[in-house]
């Protein structure tokens, strides 16, 4: 679920009914209450999900860009996922699985960034939840039923431009629907970091984001129903998560990819094991880098490989290297001329920056 922050979901206590379908799904799944992204944007987080590695290990992340010394290994200031990285799709493909991805992010989840390693079928193009569902179900219905499969789906409805195509008055009354224009209006007001953005306009942005979540959730409910009709819902390992969240004015920030505060780092995550009928909650911090391990517990070909990172148990890491070039070329670039490293121990969070700044938080209190 591209760009979905946990604290705007009903299961995390949000005051609006944004995700009733995910709530119902969670009744028979395990919810990870403290799931954390490995980075605040798409490519490094997806690379972590696929490889079980943190960004500094798989190296698919932003770097400092020096126009005087061009680096042919970079795309803008981004490193693609290297061939040496081993993905869950590669392992399962070698074990005889059919592997497919139906992807709505046409920017960073393309073969250009090598993120499709190991997928036999990789269908990428900007589209809404209903189109992703239709293409995914078509693949499921035409696959070889005698082979096991890995199917990866990426939904962009909560990513700008937010999916407000269907009004959701039970969530929010929308005053305007063009979220991209509103973000363009808010960026120069918020991103310099000199003062808080206009609350009335930020409230509209939050309304749009929440309606997009409800539209995404509605589509997910339809997909779960389609799996149930095919007899698959209780047979597969089904993991639902997000690559990162979204800033909606907090910390004087808009959108994502720029910093490592909780609106972009705290993500939802559920896993439903085959035959699981009872929901549960896992309170310990968990990382997107642990996705291969979580699936491997129910998948023998993945269990035959060591996926877990070598960091001490109970600690979760995250990072951000500068930010993307589009912000490094803006008047507010001075805010992001640094790399940031994060250590979580459940509700304790420590941030160290290359500019010497150190921050520590008790997330239960703040």
């Amino acid at each position: 679920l591209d760009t979905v922050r946990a604290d705007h979901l009903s299961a995390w206590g949000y005051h609006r009914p944004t995700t009733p379908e995910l709530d119902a799904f969670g009744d028979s799944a395990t919810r990870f209450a403290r799931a954390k992204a490995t980075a605040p944007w798409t490519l490094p987080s997806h690379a972590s999900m696929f490889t079980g590695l943190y960004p500094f290990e798989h190296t698919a992340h932003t770097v400092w860009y020096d126009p005087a010394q061009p680096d042919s290994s970079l795309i803008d200031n981004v490193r693609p996922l290297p061939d040496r990285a081993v993905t869950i799709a590669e392992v399962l493909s070698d074990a005889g699985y059919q592997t497919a991805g139906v992807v709505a992010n046409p920017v960073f989840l393309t073969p250009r960034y090598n993120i499709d390693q190991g997928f036999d079928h990789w269908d990428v193009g900007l589209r809404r939840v209903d189109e992703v569902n239709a293409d995914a179900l078509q693949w499921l219905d035409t696959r070889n039923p005698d082979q096991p499969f890995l199917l990866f789906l990426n939904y962009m409805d909560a990513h700008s431009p937010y999916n407000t195509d269907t009004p959701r008055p039970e969530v929010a009354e929308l005053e305007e629907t063009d979220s991209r224009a509103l973000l363009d209006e808010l960026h120069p007001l918020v991103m310099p970091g000199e003062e808080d953005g206009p609350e009335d306009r930020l409230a509209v942005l939050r309304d749009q984001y929440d309606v997009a979540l409800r539209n995404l959730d509605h589509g997910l409910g339809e997909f779960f129903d389609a799996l149930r009709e095919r007899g698959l819902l209780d047979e597969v390992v089904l993991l639902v998560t997000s690559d990162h969240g979204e800033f909606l004015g907090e910390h004087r920030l808009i959108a994502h990819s720029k910093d490592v505060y909780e609106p972009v780092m705290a993500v939802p995550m559920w896993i439903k094991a085959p035959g699981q009928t009872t929901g549960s909650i896992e309170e310990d911090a968990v990382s997107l880098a642990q996705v291969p391990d979580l699936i491997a517990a129910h998948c023998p070909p993945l269990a035959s490989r060591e996926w877990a990172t070598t960091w001490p148990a109970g600690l979760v890491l995250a990072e951000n290297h500068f930010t993307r070039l589009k912000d490094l070329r803006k008047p507010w670039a001075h805010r992001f001329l640094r790399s940031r490293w994060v250590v979580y121990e459940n509700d304790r969070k420590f941030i160290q920056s290359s500019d010497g700044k150190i921050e520590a938080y008790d997330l239960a209190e703040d």
Side-chain angles (χ1 to χ4, degrees):
L1 314 180
D2 214 298
T3 321
V4 170
R5 52 187 280 177
D7 66 345
H8 273 238
L9 273 60
S10 312
W12 274 258
Y14 194 51
H15 67 280
R16 286 173 164 173
T18 52
T19 50
E21 299 293 343
L22 281 169
D23 290 349
F25 168 73
D27 289 341
S28 58
T30 300
R31 180 169 70 89
F32 296 87
R34 291 179 174 86
K36 306 298 180 182
T38 58
W41 67 286
T42 298
L43 181 63
S45 281
H46 277 86
S48 292
M49 279 189 256
F50 290 173
T51 66
L53 301 173
Y54 286 111
F56 74 90
E57 296 173 310
H58 62 60
T59 71
H61 56 68
T62 44
V63 298
W64 174 244
Y65 177 79
D66 184 354
Q69 296 180 310
D71 185 341
S72 61
S73 69
L74 302 179
I75 304 172
D76 289 334
N77 68 326
V78 179
R79 287 197 185 113
L81 185 65
D83 290 335
R84 62 171 173 77
V86 177
T87 69
I88 54 176
E90 289 177 293
V91 172
L92 291 179
S93 182
D94 289 345
Y97 279 59
Q98 300 165 91
T99 56
V102 179
V103 177
N105 188 323
V107 180
F108 288 107
L109 297 186
T110 66
R112 184 185 191 199
Y113 291 95
N114 215 22
I115 198 70
D116 61 331
Q117 290 178 204
F119 285 92
D120 306 315
H121 175 80
W122 190 259
D123 176 9
V124 58
L126 183 61
R127 53 201 142 172
R128 296 301 199 193
V129 57
D130 56 336
E131 297 171 277
V132 173
N133 288 348
D135 293 339
L137 293 171
Q138 181 182 23
W139 183 86
L140 280 172
D141 291 341
T142 56
R143 67 187 170 87
N144 181 352
D146 297 324
Q147 278 182 277
F149 68 90
L150 166 69
L151 176 60
F152 168 72
L153 304 181
N154 164 261
Y155 296 94
M156 283 279 280
D157 301 77
H159 188 291
S160 170
Y162 304 137
N163 178 3
T164 57
D165 296 347
T166 301
R168 298 288 176 181
E170 73 276 19
V171 175
E173 294 285 353
L174 292 183
E175 298 179 14
E176 56 183 280
T177 57
D178 190 347
S179 61
R180 181 164 287 171
L182 180 56
L183 282 166
D184 288 344
E185 171 192 335
L186 285 168
H187 264 86
L189 301 177
V190 176
M191 291 301 296
E194 296 167 0
E195 57 185 33
D196 294 338
E199 177 54 33
D200 58 335
R201 306 302 287 154
L202 289 171
V204 174
L205 188 69
R206 288 191 288 270
D207 290 346
Q208 292 176 344
Y209 182 77
D210 289 347
V211 168
L213 289 177
R214 182 64 188 96
N215 283 328
L216 170 60
D217 179 75
H218 177 80
L220 292 174
E222 293 183 333
F223 185 70
F224 296 150
D225 288 343
L227 291 181
R228 186 179 293 107
E229 291 167 4
R230 289 161 173 77
L232 289 172
L233 187 65
D234 293 323
E235 293 187 1
V236 297
V237 182
L238 183 53
L239 189 144
V240 180
T241 191
S242 172
D243 56 347
H244 57 78
E246 184 84 321
F247 287 114
L248 299 170
E250 303 90 354
H251 296 273
R252 297 178 177 175
L253 293 166
I254 288 289
H256 51 270
S257 80
K258 301 163 181 68
D259 217 318
V260 292
Y261 296 114
E262 290 304 278
V264 290
M265 303 308 296
V267 295
M269 186 188 291
W270 296 262
I271 189 168
K272 185 180 184 302
Q276 183 175 352
T277 58
T278 303
S280 63
I281 299 177
E282 174 58 60
E283 295 288 355
D284 289 343
V286 65
S287 167
L288 292 182
Q290 292 169 262
V291 162
D293 266 337
L294 294 173
I295 300 174
H298 311 283
C299 182
L302 290 183
S304 65
R305 177 182 171 84
E306 181 63 52
W307 292 98
T309 57
T310 56
W311 296 96
L315 297 183
V316 166
L317 306 183
E319 62 200 88
N320 194 39
H321 298 265
F322 304 99
T323 190
R324 287 159 50 192
L325 203 56
K326 66 174 186 175
D327 286 302
L328 294 180
R329 288 173 169 163
K330 293 291 176 59
W332 48 79
H334 63 279
R335 297 185 67 187
F336 310 112
L337 299 181
R338 60 184 180 179
S339 292
R340 306 266 269 167
W341 299 278
V342 184
V343 179
Y344 290 96
E345 186 178 34
N346 290 329
D347 281 331
R348 292 190 290 182
K349 180 177 183 178
F350 178 84
I351 305 172
Q352 181 170 329
S353 301
S354 60
D355 61 3
K357 186 174 183 181
I358 290 174
E359 300 172 58
Y361 297 92
D362 180 344
L363 299 178
E365 299 294 329
D366 179 6

